[in-house]
Amino acid sequence: MRPGREIMGEMKLGVLCSGGKDSVFACGRAMEKEEVVCLIAIRSENEESYMFHTPNVAFVTLQAEAAGLPLIEMKTAGVKEEELLDLRNALILAREQFRIEGVVTGALYSVYQATRVQRLCRELGLWCFNPLWHTAQEDYMQVLIKKGFEVIVSGVFAAPFDESWLGRRIDLHSLPLLEKYSEQYGIMLTGEGGEYETFVLDAPFFRKRIEIREASSEYRNYRGIYRIVRAGLVEK
Amino acid sequence: MILLIDLCYREDSLGFDEYVLPVARIVERLGFRTRSVHFHAVSAGECSGVKAVILCGTPLADNAFLDEPEDFSWLKTSRIPVLGVCAGMETICRIFGGKLEPCIEIGMTEIRVTGRDPLFPESHSFSAYELHTLACTDPGPMKIIAVSDRCIQVVRHPTKPVYGVMFHPEVRNEWAVERFLSMTRKDGISP
């Protein structure tokens, strides 16, 4: 009989982390079931990147520190398909440095993203997990809030989001409005269609929380970015 | 009650969220109750009161279920309708005498229906999500219902209401699960 994972103990996993709610939540889920040994962040210079969410990804370093996890960080020009080579290099580095056996992503519905990461993992002999895959969006958003994830909106890219959403916390007050937008404007409640992006300031597995000390906003025609300029960790 | 069998490498693995829960959500949305059990824990009495069984998929790197065929021997004697998804189809093929060989498909693939069946009543093509490293090259006694350019995509047992689909219906083809369950509702899966 081939040795099962149970026999071999917990699997060492690296979490592909954009700083947004889905990858940080997926990290927490992975921690409940296996051993997360590092975060992996791809910093794209292209704000239209097909694969990698960009606002505030530079501050994943604080999330890693808050979670007590090392971070593998790789820059990419963000050119379609070429950015996969940068991801590939990051995964190879994580495998070499932290002996990861698998990768976790926060993919919910994007076949485009999931397929590319699955192919890379296959090529590199790594397992691939997407614990939020085809999750029930309403339930997920409720759980996210109830479990204490502190999530802010770091970018909006669709109508009817106005400037007031930039930096706004996703909580039990703002969620009903997102649900209304979802019904009336067809946005995906989770923002998976790129309608909005998020950044996580606190999570149940963070030892400290992130405090934003300076930020700036740009907004025009239903598109805007909340850019963190300075931030640090504070006691919870 | 629809029994969902988790084929992942261990009970309560991270794969459960990705391969069992999405199927459970479809089934429950259709008005059925579900129960999930890991394939190691399926006993003879497990299927009592069960209207149909769905054998769920596994992560791409996870073929551990193939090492323990005795855990699926109940399939040979069961008369309950079964739908095997990806790893589930591989299991069904093996149990009923088919053969598997390496065949990788990752992502959307065009599928052509080649055989008439209540699950696929019309000849047509559709696009489906694939995630496998093995495929059934010799289906044994199973009837071939649909194919892709690379491999057999849908099979059915000649005398039992047992189906295997290589694609993942929980991604963009929920209708396949719905149609399978509607057939069980009518008790209408006849050879």
PDB file of all heavy atoms in Angstrom, chain B residues 34 48 58 64 80 101 119 125 138-139 145 148 189:
ATOM      1  N   THR B  34     -28.250  15.439   2.615  1.00  0.00           N
ATOM      2  CA  THR B  34     -26.994  14.745   2.293  1.00  0.00           C
ATOM      3  C   THR B  34     -26.337  14.222   3.565  1.00  0.00           C
ATOM      4  O   THR B  34     -26.567  14.726   4.658  1.00  0.00           O
ATOM      5  CB  THR B  34     -25.977  15.685   1.598  1.00  0.00           C
ATOM      6  OG1 THR B  34     -25.642  16.738   2.502  1.00  0.00           O
ATOM      7  CG2 THR B  34     -26.522  16.257   0.309  1.00  0.00           C
ATOM      8  N   SER B  48     -28.140   2.076   3.749  1.00  0.00           N
ATOM      9  CA  SER B  48     -29.532   1.881   4.135  1.00  0.00           C
ATOM     10  C   SER B  48     -30.258   3.240   4.148  1.00  0.00           C
ATOM     11  O   SER B  48     -29.796   4.187   4.770  1.00  0.00           O
ATOM     12  CB  SER B  48     -29.544   1.227   5.526  1.00  0.00           C
ATOM     13  OG  SER B  48     -30.774   1.399   6.120  1.00  0.00           O
ATOM     14  N   THR B  58     -11.055  14.108  -6.093  1.00  0.00           N
ATOM     15  CA  THR B  58      -9.931  14.309  -5.169  1.00  0.00           C
ATOM     16  C   THR B  58      -8.977  15.338  -5.774  1.00  0.00           C
ATOM     17  O   THR B  58      -9.042  15.623  -6.971  1.00  0.00           O
ATOM     18  CB  THR B  58      -9.131  12.997  -4.977  1.00  0.00           C
ATOM     19  OG1 THR B  58      -8.547  12.625  -6.233  1.00  0.00           O
ATOM     20  CG2 THR B  58      -9.999  11.868  -4.460  1.00  0.00           C
ATOM     21  N   ALA B  64      -4.618   8.092  -3.864  1.00  0.00           N
ATOM     22  CA  ALA B  64      -4.504   7.089  -2.800  1.00  0.00           C
ATOM     23  C   ALA B  64      -5.703   6.143  -2.770  1.00  0.00           C
ATOM     24  O   ALA B  64      -5.571   4.979  -2.379  1.00  0.00           O
ATOM     25  CB  ALA B  64      -4.342   7.787  -1.445  1.00  0.00           C
ATOM     26  N   ILE B  80     -28.099   0.559  -5.655  1.00  0.00           N
ATOM     27  CA  ILE B  80     -28.395   1.982  -5.497  1.00  0.00           C
ATOM     28  C   ILE B  80     -27.766   2.758  -6.659  1.00  0.00           C
ATOM     29  O   ILE B  80     -26.648   2.444  -7.075  1.00  0.00           O
ATOM     30  CB  ILE B  80     -27.824   2.501  -4.160  1.00  0.00           C
ATOM     31  CG1 ILE B  80     -28.526   1.799  -3.002  1.00  0.00           C
ATOM     32  CG2 ILE B  80     -27.980   4.003  -4.017  1.00  0.00           C
ATOM     33  CD1 ILE B  80     -27.892   2.071  -1.677  1.00  0.00           C
ATOM     34  N   GLU B 101      -5.100   4.399 -17.293  1.00  0.00           N
ATOM     35  CA  GLU B 101      -3.744   4.719 -17.735  1.00  0.00           C
ATOM     36  C   GLU B 101      -3.510   6.213 -17.544  1.00  0.00           C
ATOM     37  O   GLU B 101      -4.474   6.981 -17.469  1.00  0.00           O
ATOM     38  CB  GLU B 101      -3.564   4.362 -19.216  1.00  0.00           C
ATOM     39  CG  GLU B 101      -3.391   2.873 -19.435  1.00  0.00           C
ATOM     40  CD  GLU B 101      -3.137   2.518 -20.886  1.00  0.00           C
ATOM     41  OE1 GLU B 101      -2.742   3.419 -21.654  1.00  0.00           O
ATOM     42  OE2 GLU B 101      -3.349   1.350 -21.224  1.00  0.00           O
ATOM     43  N   LEU B 119     -29.237  10.105 -19.037  1.00  0.00           N
ATOM     44  CA  LEU B 119     -28.452  11.200 -18.458  1.00  0.00           C
ATOM     45  C   LEU B 119     -28.018  12.191 -19.546  1.00  0.00           C
ATOM     46  O   LEU B 119     -27.890  13.388 -19.295  1.00  0.00           O
ATOM     47  CB  LEU B 119     -27.231  10.632 -17.735  1.00  0.00           C
ATOM     48  CG  LEU B 119     -26.465  11.569 -16.812  1.00  0.00           C
ATOM     49  CD1 LEU B 119     -27.343  12.115 -15.698  1.00  0.00           C
ATOM     50  CD2 LEU B 119     -25.252  10.872 -16.202  1.00  0.00           C
ATOM     51  N   SER B 125     -22.313  18.539 -27.816  1.00  0.00           N
ATOM     52  CA  SER B 125     -21.012  18.794 -27.211  1.00  0.00           C
ATOM     53  C   SER B 125     -21.182  19.839 -26.120  1.00  0.00           C
ATOM     54  O   SER B 125     -22.085  20.674 -26.196  1.00  0.00           O
ATOM     55  CB  SER B 125     -20.035  19.334 -28.261  1.00  0.00           C
ATOM     56  OG  SER B 125     -19.803  18.360 -29.238  1.00  0.00           O
ATOM     57  N   ASP B 138      -9.667   1.425 -21.020  1.00  0.00           N
ATOM     58  CA  ASP B 138     -10.446   0.229 -21.348  1.00  0.00           C
ATOM     59  C   ASP B 138     -11.599   0.202 -20.358  1.00  0.00           C
ATOM     60  O   ASP B 138     -11.396  -0.039 -19.175  1.00  0.00           O
ATOM     61  CB  ASP B 138      -9.554  -1.010 -21.196  1.00  0.00           C
ATOM     62  CG  ASP B 138     -10.359  -2.293 -21.312  1.00  0.00           C
ATOM     63  OD1 ASP B 138     -11.588  -2.226 -21.555  1.00  0.00           O
ATOM     64  OD2 ASP B 138      -9.757  -3.366 -21.150  1.00  0.00           O
ATOM     65  N   PRO B 139     -12.832   0.469 -20.816  1.00  0.00           N
ATOM     66  CA  PRO B 139     -13.945   0.572 -19.863  1.00  0.00           C
ATOM     67  C   PRO B 139     -14.488  -0.774 -19.386  1.00  0.00           C
ATOM     68  O   PRO B 139     -15.414  -0.810 -18.582  1.00  0.00           O
ATOM     69  CB  PRO B 139     -15.005   1.322 -20.666  1.00  0.00           C
ATOM     70  CG  PRO B 139     -14.734   0.949 -22.082  1.00  0.00           C
ATOM     71  CD  PRO B 139     -13.254   0.746 -22.193  1.00  0.00           C
ATOM     72  N   ILE B 145     -20.524   6.704 -22.970  1.00  0.00           N
ATOM     73  CA  ILE B 145     -21.596   7.663 -23.286  1.00  0.00           C
ATOM     74  C   ILE B 145     -21.035   8.941 -23.895  1.00  0.00           C
ATOM     75  O   ILE B 145     -21.672   9.595 -24.709  1.00  0.00           O
ATOM     76  CB  ILE B 145     -22.377   8.039 -21.995  1.00  0.00           C
ATOM     77  CG1 ILE B 145     -22.880   6.789 -21.271  1.00  0.00           C
ATOM     78  CG2 ILE B 145     -23.520   8.999 -22.293  1.00  0.00           C
ATOM     79  CD1 ILE B 145     -23.947   6.025 -21.995  1.00  0.00           C
ATOM     80  N   SER B 148     -13.804  12.884 -24.792  1.00  0.00           N
ATOM     81  CA  SER B 148     -13.096  14.108 -25.202  1.00  0.00           C
ATOM     82  C   SER B 148     -12.035  13.671 -26.211  1.00  0.00           C
ATOM     83  O   SER B 148     -11.946  12.477 -26.537  1.00  0.00           O
ATOM     84  CB  SER B 148     -12.446  14.792 -23.998  1.00  0.00           C
ATOM     85  OG  SER B 148     -11.397  13.988 -23.489  1.00  0.00           O
ATOM     86  N   ILE B 189     -34.044   5.060 -13.348  1.00  0.00           N
ATOM     87  CA  ILE B 189     -32.805   4.669 -13.999  1.00  0.00           C
ATOM     88  C   ILE B 189     -32.895   3.185 -14.339  1.00  0.00           C
ATOM     89  O   ILE B 189     -32.684   2.330 -13.503  1.00  0.00           O
ATOM     90  CB  ILE B 189     -31.594   4.933 -13.100  1.00  0.00           C
ATOM     91  CG1 ILE B 189     -31.540   6.413 -12.714  1.00  0.00           C
ATOM     92  CG2 ILE B 189     -30.312   4.541 -13.804  1.00  0.00           C
ATOM     93  CD1 ILE B 189     -30.364   6.792 -11.876  1.00  0.00           C
TER      94      ILE B 189
END
